[in-house]
Amino acid sequence: KGLDVFIALSQKLDSKKYQIVLVGTDDVIDKILPKNIISIHRTHDPLELAQIYTSADVFANPSREENFPTVNIEALACGTPIVTFDIGGSAEIVSQGTGFVVTCDDIEGMKDAIIYLCSHKQHFTKSCLNRAKVYDMNNRFQEYSKLYLEKCGESNAS
């Protein structure tokens, strides 16, 4: 999802200042990546993934099709701001102070947002952590349970 955007960004970002790291790759993807992109193969270790998110200055998600990308929420939960395209659930997750939403396929806009966030990450960390709390599993479960019970009650009353 958006691999071509990362390749384009690798050509536009100053490689002396910025490093693109792709997580979740495989041997097939490795063969088509330019040498200035670091590839980390798929991990199933939540601690390792949290360390990667936390060490990043920004999480870029140039996916063009998403329902509700949990990777964005995972980045927020690690205090890492997001840059994403204005599609599906990606745009809904980003709120003021947690990153930027750019027009789909606006590589220049994504590049500019990455540069800005990399130099201002410390101003976004607290907002990112607070935003991630909105998606707390227990809170969502209680909301869904309440909604379900309300709907069942409406059905029984008919």
Side-chain angles (χ1 to χ4, degrees):
K1 297 181 178 180
L3 185 60
D4 61 311
V5 175
F6 285 115
I7 292 170
L9 285 169
S10 76
Q11 297 165 356
K12 291 181 174 283
L13 290 167
D14 180 354
S15 63
K16 292 182 178 126
K17 289 184 175 184
Y18 303 97
Q19 178 62 66
I20 296 174
V21 179
L22 293 182
V23 180
T25 58
D26 57 31
D27 291 333
V28 175
I29 292 173
D30 288 349
K31 291 176 184 172
I32 60 174
L33 289 178
K35 302 237 183 273
N36 63 339
I37 294 180
I38 294 175
S39 170
I40 298 176
H41 287 201
R42 199 170 305 275
T43 179
H44 297 289
D45 181 349
L47 180 59
E48 180 184 18
L49 196 53
Q51 290 170 337
I52 293 168
Y53 282 125
T54 303
S55 65
D57 290 316
V58 62
F59 177 74
N61 183 356
S63 178
R64 294 176 180 99
E65 293 182 27
E66 286 291 348
N67 291 324
F68 195 73
T70 55
V71 292
N72 289 5
I73 299 167
E74 291 168 355
L76 291 176
C78 294
T80 304
I82 301 166
V83 177
T84 191
F85 287 151
D86 61 348
I87 52 89
S90 280
E92 295 173 22
I93 293 169
V94 178
S95 64
Q96 185 173 2
T98 64
F100 294 101
V101 176
V102 299
T103 303
C104 189
D105 290 325
D106 181 1
I107 296 171
E108 197 66 32
M110 185 165 271
K111 178 196 76 152
D112 293 343
I114 289 169
I115 291 170
Y116 181 84
L117 289 170
C118 283
S119 60
H120 295 88
K121 180 184 178 181
Q122 69 279 8
H123 301 296
F124 289 83
T125 303
K126 186 176 179 180
S127 293
C128 290
L129 294 170
N130 286 333
R131 178 68 173 163
K133 292 176 186 175
V134 169
Y135 301 101
D136 178 83
M137 177 178 68
N138 295 319
N139 293 340
R140 297 296 68 86
F141 178 75
Q142 289 174 0
E143 278 183 15
Y144 291 139
S145 294
K146 181 180 174 187
L147 178 64
Y148 177 78
L149 292 173
E150 285 173 5
K151 293 299 175 187
C152 286
E154 287 179 17
S155 296
N156 292 337
S158 303

